[in-house]
Amino acid sequence: MTTIIIVVIIVLLVIAYAAMYNGLVKYRNRAREFSSQIDVQLKRRTDLIPNLVETVKGYATHEKETLSKVVELRNSVANADSLQEKVDADNQLTGVLRQVFALAENYPDLKANQEFGKLMEELSNTENKVAYARQAYNSQVQAYDTALETFPRNIVAKIHGFKEMDFLQIPEAEKEAPKVKF
């Protein structure tokens, strides 16, 4: 009878250990999935940019510096090594794209161009998807890191070499409130 109780306890401990390990793997893989979704949306956005640049070129030929900066930053996003580097480059690209969208105010023909309007809408939709993917990634990283730190999962995590993941950060310059003057 004692042997059966010991075997049952060991089986329950093995099941609990496996459940904790599998839970950690699930959290980590979900964070990786959200990271991948950020990449997918950034890729989609960078694929739209050449069309936007070509559309604007026809109307704003003397805005070459702004358009060159857009292309340069697009390439920075595409060539970044880490997720945080991609996000940082994308934040810079967003600022320059705002300048391109502002050009439409100076060029009524550009503003009326249907292709430009479609591209602006697509980029806006993609920006919303990027923001959602960033938020989902950080939420999942928080859940994963919390799981790594809670007992008894922290023991399983140390045994199997699970490491904390980093949150996506907003650069300090972007945290400042905009100055409004009337």
Side-chain angles (χ1 to χ4, degrees), residues 113-129:
N113 181 294
Q114 289 181 344
E115 184 66 22
F116 183 75
K118 287 181 202 174
L119 288 168
M120 283 181 57
E121 186 177 332
E122 282 294 315
L123 284 168
S124 178
N125 289 339
T126 302
E127 184 61 32
N128 290 337
K129 291 176 182 178

Side-chain angles (χ1 to χ4, degrees), residues 30-161:
R30 291 230 19 190
R32 288 177 180 169
E33 174 191 1
F34 286 122
S35 170
S36 177
Q37 284 302 316
I38 293 170
D39 275 345
V40 167
Q41 295 307 324
L42 291 178
K43 172 77 169 107
R44 180 174 184 252
R45 186 174 186 210
T46 58
D47 288 348
L48 290 170
I49 289 173
N51 295 334
L52 178 71
V53 168
E54 287 304 313
T55 302
V56 173
K57 269 186 187 177
Y59 293 92
T61 54
H62 66 280
E63 303 288 351
K64 288 182 181 178
E65 183 179 322
T66 301
L67 298 176
S68 295
K69 187 71 173 169
V70 167
V71 172
E72 176 187 324
L73 288 171
R74 174 196 178 267
N75 293 336
S76 295
V77 172
N79 296 326
D81 293 327
S82 72
L83 181 60
Q84 186 64 51
E85 288 175 4
K86 283 183 184 186
V87 169
D88 291 345
D90 183 64
N91 289 338
Q92 292 176 354
L93 178 60
T94 298
V96 176
L97 283 175
R98 286 186 188 123
Q99 292 174 2
V100 172
F101 294 150
L103 291 176
E105 298 301 319
N106 296 332
Y107 299 92
D109 292 341
L110 175 61
K111 192 174 184 178
N113 181 294
Q114 289 181 344
E115 184 66 22
F116 183 75
K118 287 181 202 174
L119 288 168
M120 283 181 57
E121 186 177 332
E122 282 294 315
L123 284 168
S124 178
N125 289 339
T126 302
E127 184 61 32
N128 290 337
K129 291 176 182 178
V130 168
Y132 172 77
R134 288 178 184 178
Q135 180 183 6
Y137 172 82
N138 278 344
S139 293
Q140 189 59 41
V141 166
Q142 183 273 331
Y144 171 73
D145 286 350
T146 299
L148 287 181
E149 296 172 7
T150 56
F151 181 81
R153 283 186 179 152
N154 61 345
I155 296 169
V156 175
K158 284 184 182 180
I159 291 171
H160 293 283

